[in-house]
Amino acid sequence: MDPNSILLSSPSQAFSCLAEPHMEGGKSQISQEVTRDPPFSWSQAPSSSLADLDWFWDEHIQAKRARVETVVQGMCPSPSTLVPGSARTWDSPRYQEKARERKRKQSLPVQQDLPKPGPARDQGNRKGLGALCVREQFHLLQQQLRHLQEHVLQVAEPKDPAQCPGGSEKGKGPLRVRQRNGRGPSPWVLDSDHHQGSSRDLSGVEKHSMSEIEHQSEKPRFLPLGAETLLEILREELTTAVSQAVDSVLQRVLLDPPDHLAQPSRSFRGLVPEGGSEPSSTGGGACKDPPPLATLLRRAQSQAGVPLGKLSLAKPLDSPRYPDSPRMIPKPYQAPPANCPLTVPSHIQENQILSQLLGHASNGYWSNNPPQDSPSQSHSLSESALRPWRAVRLRPSALSQQRRPLPFTSARLEHLPPSVKVEQSGLQAVPGGLPFSSVHIQEGLNPGHLKKAKLMFFFTRYPSSNLLKAYFPDVQFNRCITSQMIKWFSNFREFYYIQMEKSARQAISEGVTNPKMLVVLRDSELFRALNMHYNKGNDFQVPDCFLEIASLTLQEFFRAVSAGKDSDPSWKKPIYKIISKLDSDIPEILKSSGYPQQLFRS
DNA sequence: CATCCTCCTG
DNA sequence: CAGGAGGATG
């Protein structure tokens, strides 16, 4: 549908048709629109509306509106001051809306089995073929472990036993240091060229199976504080690194035959045997191809970098500050090598993985500097005071600098081709009951899981239960747990959509007419609200693809409301449907079993 | 019948 | 966020 076709010269105009008591006219118009909308045929408008039903729906709608309204008003105290004519938009005349609303005929359980074009759908797992590969991978890992161990030993060597009475500081010291060193590449490697020696703590590592590393908890008592600290760090890092690496390798091997290295997507296309999941056409893409909006996205994408001609609306907003560019500076996670992660030989990747993991949080998602956007935040503060709907902004030229939504740095961590989403339930179930991935399965869900789920929401709004199982290997799934988690996402969605609708309406009340003008930026009100909700503490770098989805959602709401679709009781359904198709792949880091804990130390 | 989704409420 | 209702789907 051509966005321009729904553009209205003024927002008030958009709503005037609702406000005016054109009962008949309005109704037919709506139903027409709906019916001629092929993709959303489910929102068919049964034209049979009884008089009493009208009344019923009037109240119903009123209630609903009131809800949103209160929310909006909380943020937009005096919209009328901005656009005089728009004040009455969806506010005052809401009774008069011909509540042609028929029964809550909302079909479309949206997600359900919309064959998620996404990679993350059910994949068959191929066992057996990978045995050889597994071996190979293990060798590699072991070698790497050996190297690491060498470093460890060097550092671990007791310098002067007498100096260290005992690890009184053990609790805090390591943690502090770890946080400090969190980013850089293996810190200890740098200054560890001395001290040969052995700590019983680590000497046995190699002999035991990897998973046992975790159990080697006794710590060398007589190490100098520095060494002890390093040891502590190392041990933890190694534990997570190894388990993660092993997990990934296993997953890949189990799910993907050896030929996966060269042609990831191909190898999987043939695999998707069951689950009605259609062979993902996305190949390597993160955000799957969104059929409906693909063009829109692409357009936006192609527009990026092209100086927009008339941004008269935006300019006033931005001019007070610095030019847009600073805000657009690529975030840390715009990893350069992310381009060709899949073509890299696996062992290289393996190395990178280990070093990265050991380097801790070198995947750009973790922002150790919470005030990441501090510069812009300070601005937006004052600015938002002036502009209630700061949430939306004209599409800046630099938006979506890296349009390919999935070039996260973490791609380097991603063994699996993006299109390969492990959909099996955890690794515990690995054949042969490998001792690895000694995940401490626990009964219920803890706050860590909730937090993780929220972060996952940045990538997937409609996760399947299988996906959830795959990403929470340390959770013993049962009906209850599954439902609860699904409920979580449902709640997330609710909040998300409410925010979107709110912002869209605000934009409309501000006189915005072109949906393309609406864009969610990191310093926008909307973003802050979302970030606050899903990423309290800011310890995660919100992926750009989420911003794009958010922008899209916003635009869709804008269009719908502008077109008066919101008089249809199920007017949101089409939007839900669209959004449900735009789930992205979730980076591997989020899958690691030990993940929740890692969050809490930051 | 089971599962999931939205909406509403507390 | 959890519960529950009502509806859709397979």
Side-chain angles (χ1 to χ4, degrees):
Chain A
M1 151 189 337
D2 180 5
N4 295 315
S5 65
I6 63 167
L7 291 185
L8 297 160
S9 53
S10 87
S12 52
Q13 185 180 338
F15 286 91
S16 61
C17 67
L18 288 179
E20 311 309 337
H22 309 137
M23 308 281 259
E24 281 74 25
K27 169 182 167 182
S28 59
Q29 167 191 345
I30 288 173
S31 48
Q32 273 182 11
E33 283 208 38
V34 172
T35 46
R36 74 151 180 247
D37 197 0
F40 310 128
S41 52
W42 44 264
S43 60
Q44 285 280 4
S47 48
S48 64
S49 37
L50 313 172
D52 46 348
L53 269 185
D54 284 359
W55 176 85
F56 174 78
W57 282 105
D58 269 331
E59 289 224 338
H60 183 65
I61 296 299
Q62 257 180 269
K64 276 162 66 176
R65 280 192 184 276
R67 236 192 148 198
V68 177
E69 185 178 353
T70 51
V71 181
V72 174
Q73 284 181 340
M75 216 177 140
C76 176
S78 58
S80 55
T81 60
L82 298 164
V83 181
S86 66
R88 56 195 287 269
T89 51
W90 57 282
D91 182 335
S92 46
R94 62 174 181 277
Y95 320 118
Q96 313 213 355
E97 290 180 345
K98 37 207 176 331
R100 308 262 138 279
E101 352 287 9
R102 45 266 152 193
K103 204 50 180 283
R104 187 172 147 194
K105 185 82 172 220
Q106 4 192 3
S107 34
L108 180 65
V110 183
Q111 193 256 323
Q112 223 45 337
D113 280 311
L114 293 178
K116 288 215 166 180
R121 289 311 152 193
D122 321 283
Q123 312 277 355
N125 49 346
R126 300 250 303 249
K127 352 201 166 196
L129 276 179
L132 217 153
C133 197
V134 181
R135 214 189 197 74
E136 205 175 315
Q137 302 293 348
F138 281 172
H139 284 330
L140 287 169
L141 284 172
Q142 284 186 335
Q143 284 184 13
Q144 286 161 2
L145 249 182
R146 221 165 287 145
H147 291 322
L148 288 168
Q149 186 185 349
E150 284 177 20
H151 289 304
V152 170
L153 291 180
Q154 288 173 353
V155 179
E157 192 222 0
K159 240 186 265 182
D160 184 1
Q163 278 185 358
C164 188
S168 57
E169 284 251 327
K170 68 175 189 176
K172 321 176 166 186
L175 253 173
R176 267 203 336 255
V177 175
R178 166 143 87 241
Q179 288 182 340
R180 251 204 6 243
N181 292 341
R183 284 194 167 285
S186 347
W188 62 85
V189 175
L190 299 176
D191 59 339
S192 62
D193 296 318
H194 35 16
H195 310 325
Q196 275 302 332
S198 66
S199 79
R200 58 187 278 265
D201 185 27
L202 292 153
S203 59
V205 168
E206 186 174 359
K207 294 171 198 157
H208 300 324
S209 89
M210 301 193 210
S211 64
E212 289 187 55
I213 295 174
E214 294 188 272
H215 305 312
Q216 318 222 350
S217 51
E218 320 100 293
K219 88 172 20 159
R221 302 263 160 191
F222 308 114
L223 294 180
L225 214 119
E228 187 181 350
T229 295
L230 285 173
L231 256 185
E232 182 70 12
I233 301 170
L234 268 177
R235 203 177 53 212
E236 290 194 34
E237 298 292 6
L238 269 175
T239 299
T240 43
V242 170
S243 70
Q244 282 192 352
V246 171
D247 283 5
S248 337
V249 170
L250 278 176
Q251 283 173 17
R252 181 173 55 183
V253 168
L254 290 172
L255 293 172
D256 199 6
D259 64 316
H260 65 288
L261 297 179
Q263 310 236 355
S265 50
R266 169 180 62 85
S267 57
F268 276 93
R269 189 153 318 197
L271 286 181
V272 292
E274 47 213 2
S277 62
E278 64 185 19
S280 64
S281 58
T282 59
C287 295
K288 330 176 169 189
D289 305 4
L293 293 170
T295 50
L296 198 150
L297 275 173
R298 268 186 259 291
R299 221 181 309 156
Q301 178 178 357
S302 59
Q303 279 178 1
V306 179
L308 296 187
K310 6 278 181 182
L311 295 187
S312 49
L313 249 172
K315 279 321 170 187
L317 299 180
D318 293 318
S319 48
R321 338 142 124 228
Y322 45 73
D324 273 317
S325 41
R327 219 179 20 244
M328 294 321 205
I329 289 176
K331 299 290 180 175
Y333 56 70
Q334 309 227 340
N339 289 331
C340 50
L342 297 179
T343 58
V344 180
S346 65
H347 59 280
I348 301 290
Q349 288 189 44
E350 234 64 87
N351 279 319
Q352 286 185 338
I353 293 159
L354 268 184
S355 56
Q356 286 209 6
L357 285 173
L358 291 173
H360 182 109
S362 43
N363 64 75
Y365 282 114
W366 305 103
S367 55
N368 285 353
N369 47 340
Q372 34 155 327
D373 45 309
S374 48
S376 49
Q377 260 182 355
S378 51
H379 289 276
S380 61
L381 278 180
S382 54
E383 210 175 300
S384 55
L386 303 174
R387 295 283 169 170
W389 62 278
R390 206 65 223 63
V392 288
R393 232 248 247 327
L394 293 183
R395 186 179 293 279
S397 56
L399 172 76
S400 59
Q401 327 87 20
Q402 40 104 16
R403 174 42 225 179
R404 218 51 286 231
L406 205 52
F408 342 95
T409 309
S410 63
R412 281 183 284 176
L413 295 178
E414 190 78 76
H415 301 257
L416 305 173
S419 58
V420 181
K421 213 19 127 255
V422 181
E423 291 286 315
Q424 62 180 15
S425 55
L427 286 170
Q428 313 95 306
V430 160
L434 297 172
F436 318 113
S437 62
S438 45
V439 191
H440 331 310
I441 303 169
Q442 68 178 120
E443 267 297 319
L445 299 171
N446 60 38
H449 293 133
L450 176 59
K451 181 155 191 171
K452 178 171 167 179
K454 285 180 171 179
L455 295 185
M456 285 172 65
F457 185 78
F458 285 136
F459 301 90
T460 173
R461 267 63 55 190
Y462 292 83
S464 67
S465 50
N466 278 339
L467 186 140
L468 291 177
K469 285 171 187 163
Y471 275 85
F472 290 89
D474 60 335
V475 170
Q476 182 75 284
F477 278 86
N478 56 40
R479 234 198 298 269
C480 269
I481 299 293
T482 306
S483 300
Q484 188 185 3
M485 230 181 237
I486 287 177
K487 177 67 178 175
W488 281 357
F489 278 85
S490 180
N491 287 332
F492 299 163
R493 259 174 272 143
E494 192 168 13
F495 178 83
Y496 174 79
Y497 287 129
I498 287 177
Q499 296 300 314
M500 293 299 164
E501 182 182 356
K502 187 172 69 177
S503 287
R505 291 190 187 279
Q506 282 183 356
I508 290 174
S509 74
E510 292 284 335
V512 177
T513 55
N514 187 345
K516 288 181 186 171
M517 298 290 185
L518 304 181
V519 124
V520 180
L521 297 178
R522 304 187 110 87
D523 63 346
S524 65
E525 263 325 301
L526 179 53
F527 175 83
R528 290 172 54 166
L530 296 171
N531 192 52
M532 186 72 74
H533 194 74
Y534 306 116
N535 185 26
K536 261 197 208 71
N538 237 335
D539 11 56
F540 195 79
Q541 251 292 333
V542 179
D544 277 1
C545 66
F546 176 72
L547 293 187
E548 293 173 17
I549 301 297
S551 300
L552 254 155
T553 313
L554 185 59
Q555 291 167 19
E556 288 305 314
F557 268 101
F558 180 91
R559 286 192 177 92
V561 175
S562 295
K565 299 262 179 63
D566 58 340
S567 55
D568 182 336
S570 52
W571 65 282
K572 292 177 184 171
K573 295 298 181 185
I575 302 177
Y576 295 159
K577 182 176 182 178
I578 292 171
I579 301 308
S580 73
K581 288 183 185 168
L582 296 179
D583 281 5
S584 311
D585 286 331
I586 308 170
E588 287 286 313
I589 347 105
L590 284 174
K591 186 185 293 183
S592 65
S593 53
Y595 176 79
Q597 294 77 34
Q598 298 178 18
L599 264 185
F600 288 137
R601 64 189 190 202
S602 62

